Amino acid sequence: MVIELGLAGFAAIVLAGGQGSRLGGVDKASIEVDGRPLLEHALDAVLDASEVVVVGHQVPTDRPVTFVREEPRFGGPAAGLLTGRDMLLRSFPTIAVLAVDMPRLAPGTFRRLQEAAVGHEGAVLADADGRRQLAFVVETARLDAVRPDHEGQHGLSIRALLEPLDLVEVAPLGDEARDIDTWSDLRDIAGEADGDAGPY
C-alpha cells in the first residue's frame, strides 16, 4: 500500500523528549527562538494536522495536544515516535513526525512532503549531503508493520526503524533542515532572525 492523494487528515507527532545533553540538560521545547518556545514553532509547522501528540515534558500551551513520555524512558527517538503513535486517539492514513528543535519547519514543509510521498510509503526531508532529518511523513500501516516489540524499541534509531520503508527524499527550502543541538546553533539561528526575517 502506498500513499494516495485526497486522504482526509493526518496525525502529527512532535519529538520533544530528548535529554538535551549538549545544551546542559535544558528542555529544548521551552527554549525560545524569535521570542517563542520551540514547541510553539513545532506546533505551527503541523497546523494542518487533525491530531497532535507531543512526546516530552508537558509544558503550557493553548493548543489541543496530547502530552506523553516515551516508553521506555529515554529510549531514544524511535521509542518516542512509537509511544506517540500509540497515544493517537483516532486512526489516520499518514503520520507527520518532527523534532521539536527545527524552528524553520512550516506547514508548507509537510504539504510538500505529503505531495512527494504519493506513490511511496512516505517522504523525508534530506539536506544537500543526503542526511535525513527528523521531519518526515509515513504511512501509518507500514510503520505499524515494521515496528519492533517493546523491548526492541529501546535505543533503536529512527533510521533503523524506517530503513525497510520506501521513503522519497525531499530537499529543504531555505533553513528548513536547520536544528538546534548546541548553544552555538541557537545563537546562529537567533542572529539570522535579527538580521533577516526570512521566508516565514
Side-chain angles (χ1 to χ4, degrees):
M1 182 176 178
V2 295
I3 294 173
E4 301 176 359
L5 282 175
L7 294 176
F10 66 95
I13 297 172
V14 179
L15 300 177
Q19 299 183 61
S21 55
R22 285 188 279 177
L23 291 167
V26 172
D27 178 21
K28 281 188 179 183
S30 299
I31 292 175
E32 291 195 356
V33 171
D34 305 339
R36 302 173 65 236
L38 284 174
L39 178 59
E40 295 301 319
H41 287 280
L43 296 178
D44 283 349
V46 290
L47 193 63
D48 296 336
S50 299
E51 184 179 346
V52 179
V53 172
V54 176
V55 184
H57 294 289
Q58 184 163 350
V59 296
T61 178
D62 59 0
R63 309 293 185 93
V65 304
T66 299
F67 285 90
V68 66
R69 296 308 307 270
E70 71 272 18
E71 181 60 40
R73 188 77 180 275
F74 301 127
L81 164 56
L82 296 173
T83 301
R85 186 266 174 274
D86 290 340
M87 285 298 294
L88 291 172
L89 300 176
R90 289 175 288 163
S91 178
F92 296 90
T94 60
I95 297 173
V97 182
L98 67 158
V100 77
D101 64 353
M102 300 181 70
R104 300 311 183 208
L105 296 174
T109 310
F110 289 94
R111 292 172 194 146
R112 290 187 359 258
L113 288 171
Q114 292 278 11
E115 291 169 1
V118 174
H120 302 272
E121 295 171 339
V124 58
L125 203 66
D127 66 18
D129 296 323
R131 290 189 295 266
R132 291 184 170 188
Q133 308 298 307
L134 275 177
F136 60 91
V137 298
V138 62
E139 182 186 330
T140 307
R142 289 295 295 136
L143 176 64
D144 291 344
V146 300
R147 66 179 297 171
D149 59 22
H150 184 266
E151 184 176 343
Q153 294 178 24
H154 188 80
L156 181 68
S157 69
I158 292 283
R159 178 178 292 276
L161 174 66
L162 301 180
E163 197 277 332
L165 303 184
D166 171 27
L167 303 185
V168 63
E169 295 182 351
V170 176
L173 296 180
D175 288 336
E176 284 177 328
R178 290 283 297 275
D179 61 6
I180 298 174
D181 285 329
T182 66
W183 292 116
S184 178
D185 294 336
L186 178 61
R187 286 192 296 271
D188 289 346
I189 286 182
E192 291 171 1
D194 288 341
D196 181 3
Y200 303 104

